[in-house]
């Protein structure tokens, strides 16, 4: 075999993998947000969940993308793990469409149709309005060109006449169960190494169609590929959260269970699939005319695609009735980490390694920002509690000095967490923005970067208030008079209302959010601050409290007003107002 042919083989595989990736990303750019809404709405029971997973995966040509969306919905509490398992089962059926596209590419010479598609694609890309359709056409064209080149290379290599290759496959006893296990293992290892089940499927189709690889061993490779692709997702999920690891394990359990039961009915099942496609299993080379033999062998790519579909459909039909048991099993195997999640800095939704699709990564980041926003309101609640504990009467009565210091330390820790969250989310968004994104997604990322910056400023404002309260408490300064406490509590109540509105927006959909409510609270805070500022000067002049106490008092009032401004900035960024 010449170096030129090997390079051609590797290059055509690279074209195939790049085409698959480009096509999938283009489809997600066209339909990503809508598919997210479909996934959230159409999973009322296990059957609709399965159908949804199948349709979404067939639409975006990526079971990884569907799994990622599903896990993010489980994390957000929009789907139960049981519903997610049904969606993943459907995704396994949806992903078999790829095998049918490839079998068509292997069976017919479609390279001549690719070049007009490239020409049309580049025109659509330059017509900005239709550039995603152009991207899809380019991806599909690269995929088909890769398949066509692979097919021609396979023909040039004369694999069916390569005696060394034929002897290698002939050295395995076709009737031996051990042979099936060996090829199953080989398929898993190849998929794990290449990191592309599509590439391994293409290689298997070439070997089978050329007559070099018997159909039974070819199907064993396809079964191994099903397991190999789940090993990759489980390794990627190791650094992820509990629900992501459970979803990945459920995916592996689905495929491993399917392979186990299919091994018991291996020959009859394959013979049934071959009969359905019209492939004659008994036809051997040399017993019929070469033309007849090659025509029969040409059907093998369709046999592989049909087996892939039948295997996943049958497996889903068996396991869909046992989803609660699968859920219990994965929950038993993967137990949640025993950490205090409030005090432990950890990104809950963004997972390293498991993200493959930039368009859908934005959803993960949005959930993380929502969690960040909720954490900041909890931090503000701690500041209000700290103010209560700082009252000298309260401390004398209940001996709360230890509680005060403990709460202050907790607020200080939250401030560090807010800094880390801003940096980690920004770093993640920066890595996502390196990919080719739609204009809508780019705008979302810019808005998110502004949101996290303003949320971190809310954390700073909360910590500034806590430091002011601590400074007054530790200096044993005069305590606030009763009306000062009333004014601070009223200002803090208004600030907390603005934070509640912000979190409503973060959780819900911006179309149904009344932004005027936030602006009205902000005007109320500003007016109240101005009123208290003027009143504070009069109270100091009237010797109702000292200038030092008045300064600390106004520091807290001003910090609440600043915090309100940061909230408005977050809301404006989320609503896309500025």
């Amino acid at each position: 075999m010449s170096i030129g042919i090997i390079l051609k083989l590797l290059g055509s595989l690279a074209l195939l993998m790049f085409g698959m990736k480009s096509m999938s990303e283009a489809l997600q750019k066209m339909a990503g947000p809508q598919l997210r809404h479909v996934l959230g709405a159409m999973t009322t029971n296990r059957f609709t969940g399965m159908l949804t997973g199948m349709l979404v995966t067939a639409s975006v040509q990526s079971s990884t993308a569907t799994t990622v969306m599903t896990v993010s919905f489980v994390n957000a509490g929009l789907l139960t793990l049981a519903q997610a398992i049904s969606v993943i089962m459907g995704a396994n059926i949806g992903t078999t469409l790829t095998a049918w596209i490839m079998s068509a590419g292997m069976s017919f010479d479609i390279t001549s149709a690719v070049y007009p598609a490239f020409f049309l694609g580049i025109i659509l890309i330059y017509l900005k309005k239709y550039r995603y359709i152009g991207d899809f056409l380019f991806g599909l064209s690269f995929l088909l060109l890769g398949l066509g080149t692979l097919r021609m290379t396979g023909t040039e290599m004369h694999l069916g006449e390569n005696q060394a290759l034929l002897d290698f496959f002939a050295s395995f006893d076709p009737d031996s169960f051990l042979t099936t296990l060996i090829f199953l293992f080989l398929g898993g290892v190849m998929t794990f190494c290449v990191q592309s089940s599509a590439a391994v499927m293409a290689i298997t189709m070439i070997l089978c169609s050329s007559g070099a690889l018997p159909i039974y061993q070819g199907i064993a490779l396809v079964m191994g590929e099903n397991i190999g692709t789940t090993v990759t997702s489980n390794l990627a999920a190791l650094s992820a959260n509990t629900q992501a690891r459970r979803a990945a394990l459920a995916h592996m359990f689905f495929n491993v269970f399917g392979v186990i039961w299919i091994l018991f009915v291996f020959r009859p099942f394959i013979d049934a699939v071959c009969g359905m496609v019209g492939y004659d299993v008994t036809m051997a080379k040399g017993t019929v005319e070469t033309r007849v033999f090659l025509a029969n062998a040409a059907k093998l790519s369709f046999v592989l695609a049909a087996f892939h579909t039948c295997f996943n459909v049958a497996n889903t039909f068996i396991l869909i009735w046992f989803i609660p048991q699968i859920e219990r099993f994965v929950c038993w195997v993967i137990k949640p980490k025993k950490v205090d999640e409030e005090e432990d800095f950890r990104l809950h939704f963004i997972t390293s390694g498991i993200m493959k699709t930039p368009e859908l990564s934005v959803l993960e980041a949005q959930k993380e920002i929502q969690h960040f926003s909720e954490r900041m309101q909890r931090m503000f609640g701690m500041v209000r509690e700290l103010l209560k504990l700082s009252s000298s009467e309260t401390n004398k009565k209940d001996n709360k000095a230890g509680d005060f210091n403990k709460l202050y330390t907790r607020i200080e820790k939250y401030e560090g967490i807010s800094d880390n969250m801003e940096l980690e989310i920004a770093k993640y968004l920066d890595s996502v923005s390196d990919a080719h994104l739609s204009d809508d997604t780019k705008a979302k990322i810019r808005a998110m970067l502004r949101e996290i910056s303003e949320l971190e400023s809310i954390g700073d404002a909360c910590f500034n208030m806590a430091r002011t309260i601590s400074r007054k408490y530790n200096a044993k300064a005069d305590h606030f008079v009763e009306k000062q406490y009333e004014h601070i509590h009223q200002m803090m109540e208004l600030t907390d209302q603005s934070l509640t509105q912000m979190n409503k927006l973060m959780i819900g959909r911006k179309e149904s959010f009344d932004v005027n409510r936030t602006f009205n609270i902000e005007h109320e805070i500003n007016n109240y601050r101005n009123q208290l500022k003027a009143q504070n000067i009069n109270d100091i002049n009237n010797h109702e409290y000292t200038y030092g106490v008045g300064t600390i008092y106004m520091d807290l009032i001003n910090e609440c007003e600043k915090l309100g401004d940061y909230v408005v900035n977050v809301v404006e960024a989320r609503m896309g107002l500025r």
Side-chain angles (χ1 to χ4, degrees), residues 110-123 137 141:
I110 41 172
T111 48
S112 54
V114 162
Y115 301 106
F118 272 128
F119 180 68
L120 181 60
I122 200 72
I123 291 171
L137 274 176
S141 300

Side-chain angles (χ1 to χ4, degrees), residues 123-174:
I123 291 171
L124 291 172
I125 286 169
Y126 279 107
L127 293 171
K128 210 170 180 185
K129 189 179 175 183
Y130 302 104
R131 67 186 178 283
Y132 303 139
I133 300 171
D135 285 341
F136 167 74
L137 274 176
F138 251 68
L140 182 61
S141 300
F142 274 125
L143 168 66
L144 296 175
L145 183 63
L147 284 170
T149 313
L150 207 55
R151 178 172 169 269
M152 286 188 288
T153 309
T155 307
E156 283 174 33
M157 290 165 74
H158 303 292
L159 294 171
E161 296 161 23
N162 188 318
Q163 201 55 46
L165 192 67
L166 291 170
D167 290 344
F168 172 73
F169 289 129
S171 65
F172 296 96
D173 180 2

Side-chain angles (χ1 to χ4, degrees), residues 488-502:
I488 293 169
H489 286 310
Q490 196 169 340
M491 178 61 102
M492 285 186 165
E493 181 58 35
L494 284 170
T495 308
D496 193 57
Q497 284 176 26
S498 70
L499 285 164
T500 300
Q501 287 297 308
M502 177 183 78

